[in-house]
Amino acid sequence: ENVRLFDEVQARTAELQESLEQQTATSEVLQVISRSTFDLQPVLDVLVESAARVCEADRASIWRPKDGAFRVAASYGHTEDHNQLMSERLLVPGRGSVVGRVLLEGTAVHVHDVQTDPEYNEGVARNAGSHTLLGVPLLRDGTPIGVIALSRPHVRPFTEKQIELVTTFADQAVIAIENVRLFEEVQARTAELQESLEYQTATSDVLNVISRSPNDLQPVLDAIVETAHDLCQARYALFFRLGPDGLYHLAASKNADAVRSLDWLREHPIAKGDGTATGLAALEQRTVHFPDALADPRFTDFKRQQQSRARTQLAVPLMRAGDVIGVIFLARTEVMPFTDRQIDLVTTFADQAVIAINNVGLFEEVQARTAELQESLEYQTATSDVLNVISRSPSDIQPVLDAIAETAQRLCQSEHVFIMTRRGERFHLSASGGASPEQV
């Protein structure tokens, strides 16, 4: 009876010890999860080590999806050579491996002896001397998003409690993966909102410059190229305007010395369809984006390419009444394509530039019309003044001639004026303005 009681106490003690170890391991994993809200790897590393240690497995690994297949994401107990072999493996659902079976069935798979399993064709496990294998899925909404795999080098099946423990570890892994995914989503959303705010602020700043410069285009163009350069992480930014000669001339730039001197850029205007991104944008009347100019058959101006060293190029046209009146050009010296949002931003800047150009054109037209009307008013007033002098001097011609001379000199901005009237066969001085007594 003493022996029986002793054996029961020993068994109960062993059972309690096992439960304590399992609870401790679970607690340790949860602590790692709480400390690694944005880093998944430490959690996976602790999971495979804890699962192997508590379940008395010699080796353990976790597999995660990547590029259409499942790849090893963490391992424990494997040699360097075996880790290298596993890093090259791409596992998909199928009966040939324990991970493939778990992915195929969506439930835990327990292979008592892989060496005698006729369906098992994964040579890496067999060559490593594995016998008993256990695979447990990491399930999210019933779909496997990973697999925990454990192996023993001899035939010794895992117990139900050990399988339950690995299932608990799998659930914890899903929690960790979800935490990291949610954190990354929040980070991505925050970055997206921050980018949107920067873009809106930049757009607002350009509009403010436009409102402050109704009669001066240069500050607007300078603000556009500087803002586009900074927000789009371009190596340099250029603004070309259509000239009377039909060529596109440099009107503004940012970091242009990365290409060549400003004098060189000004001396080499761009023609429509000349094999550059700017020329093609002007010809095709649409945005032209070269992720890699050297790999694009449309890019043929290699002489300019040697000067600019631009691999990634973006050219956005300024459209007005069906004509391209300018082009915004951004470039990077390395191959790094511009994003859709960056292209949309530059397109917005192009639209704003058209508004600014139209504003300045309208302002100049109004100014010219106002000056024309002012001149006409002055001429009419002067004519009226002369007529008034005539009406007041019906018998005296001299006041009329003096008034005409003074008015003509003033309105025509002349230094001197002389009125000559005919007396007999000759013309004699009758009135003058701006002349010295000697001249008179």
Side-chain angles (χ1 to χ4, degrees):
E1 190 67 11
N2 285 346
V3 171
R4 184 184 65 78
L5 291 174
F6 180 81
D7 289 342
E8 286 183 1
V9 170
Q10 290 292 93
R12 183 59 178 160
T13 301
E15 183 180 345
L16 291 174
Q17 179 66 27
E18 182 182 35
S19 296
L20 178 61
E21 289 180 357
Q22 293 176 358
Q23 291 177 7
T24 301
T26 303
S27 176
E28 289 174 352
V29 172
L30 291 175
Q31 288 179 10
V32 174
I33 291 175
S34 67
R35 294 196 305 266
S36 305
T37 55
F38 55 89
D39 189 1
L40 183 62
Q41 195 59 49
V43 179
L44 301 184
D45 292 338
V46 170
L47 273 171
V48 290
E49 181 179 356
S50 299
R53 174 169 47 82
V54 177
C55 295
E56 300 174 346
D58 292 81
R59 293 182 287 269
S61 57
I62 292 180
W63 299 77
R64 294 269 294 132
K66 184 179 180 182
D67 301 331
F70 278 72
R71 299 170 180 265
V72 67
S75 66
Y76 174 79
H78 297 279
T79 64
E80 288 296 327
D81 292 340
H82 194 75
N83 280 330
Q84 180 62 35
L85 288 174
M86 287 200 302
S87 68
E88 299 171 358
R89 293 167 69 190
L90 304 176
L91 299 182
V92 296
R95 301 292 301 173
S97 66
V98 68
V99 173
R101 292 183 191 182
V102 172
L103 296 175
L104 186 66
E105 300 175 6
T107 187
V109 173
H110 190 193
V111 181
H112 289 199
D113 188 1
V114 69
Q115 302 291 343
T116 61
D117 190 318
E119 293 183 298
Y120 200 92
N121 59 20
E122 179 57 57
V124 175
R126 284 180 169 171
N127 294 337
S130 297
H131 280 270
T132 297
L133 300 179
L134 173 65
V136 177
L138 281 60
L139 296 175
R140 182 175 66 197
D141 298 329
T143 302
I145 61 172
V147 176
I148 299 179
L150 283 74
S151 67
R152 286 171 173 166
H154 45 269
V155 178
R156 185 162 70 93
F158 293 91
T159 66
E160 290 297 325
K161 291 195 66 175
Q162 290 171 335
I163 296 174
E164 290 177 3
L165 179 62
V166 178
T167 303
T168 300
F169 285 152
D171 294 338
Q172 292 176 329
V174 172
I175 293 172
I177 292 170
E178 281 297 286
N179 285 349
V180 172
R181 183 183 66 83
L182 291 173
F183 179 82
E184 290 175 347
E185 283 184 1
V186 171
Q187 291 291 93
R189 182 59 179 159
T190 301
E192 182 180 346
L193 292 174
Q194 179 67 28
E195 185 181 48
S196 296
L197 178 61
E198 290 179 354
Y199 287 1
Q200 290 176 5
T201 301
T203 303
S204 176
D205 290 344
V206 171
L207 290 175
N208 287 335
V209 175
I210 292 175
S211 67
R212 294 196 306 267
S213 307
N215 61 339
D216 189 2
L217 185 61
Q218 195 59 48
V220 179
L221 303 186
D222 291 339
I224 285 175
V225 294
E226 181 172 358
T227 306
H229 170 274
D230 294 344
L231 290 184
C232 297
Q233 293 94 45
R235 184 68 176 87
Y236 57 89
L238 308 174
F239 194 109
F240 294 94
R241 281 197 69 191
L242 180 63
D245 56 0
L247 301 177
Y248 291 85
H249 297 261
L250 183 69
S253 65
K254 172 67 174 181
N255 201 29
D257 55 353
V259 189
R260 192 70 183 271
S261 67
L262 287 176
D263 291 338
W264 185 90
L265 289 170
R266 294 189 180 103
E267 292 168 1
H268 292 77
I270 295 176
K272 288 184 179 180
D274 66 352
T276 65
T278 299
L280 288 173
L283 177 66
E284 299 176 3
Q285 298 188 353
R286 63 183 180 86
T287 297
V288 173
H289 184 205
F290 291 153
D292 185 358
L294 297 183
D296 197 306
R298 296 176 296 169
F299 185 83
T300 58
D301 192 345
F302 293 104
K303 182 177 180 181
R304 187 178 288 271
Q305 169 68 20
Q306 292 173 356
Q307 301 293 341
S308 65
R309 302 183 300 279
R311 294 295 297 273
T312 296
Q313 303 180 18
L314 173 66
V316 179
L318 280 64
M319 299 298 302
R320 184 176 67 185
D323 294 324
V324 178
I325 61 173
V327 177
I328 300 175
F329 176 81
L330 302 180
R332 292 168 173 158
T333 52
E334 71 277 14
V335 176
M336 188 172 70
F338 292 95
T339 66
D340 291 339
R341 295 198 69 188
Q342 290 171 336
I343 295 174
D344 290 341
L345 177 66
V346 180
T347 303
T348 300
F349 287 154
D351 294 338
Q352 291 178 328
V354 172
I355 293 172
I357 292 172
N358 289 341
N359 285 351
V360 172
L362 291 173
F363 182 85
E364 291 174 349
E365 286 182 8
V366 170
Q367 291 292 93
R369 183 59 179 158
T370 301
E372 183 181 344
L373 293 173
Q374 180 67 27
E375 185 180 47
S376 295
L377 179 61
E378 289 180 355
Y379 289 179
Q380 291 175 8
T381 301
T383 303
S384 177
D385 291 344
V386 171
L387 291 174
N388 286 335
V389 173
I390 292 174
S391 67
R392 292 196 308 269
S393 307
S395 59
D396 188 1
I397 190 65
Q398 192 60 46
V400 177
L401 297 180
D402 291 340
I404 288 175
E406 185 274 330
T407 304
Q409 180 186 11
R410 174 169 51 81
L411 292 184
C412 297
Q413 301 170 355
S414 172
E415 294 181 0
H416 308 292
V417 60
F418 302 98
I419 296 179
M420 315 293 285
T421 58
R422 185 172 179 173
R423 300 175 193 171
E425 297 298 324
R426 294 178 180 277
F427 287 81
H428 296 267
L429 180 66
S430 297
S432 66
S436 66
E438 292 78 12
Q439 286 178 305
V440 173

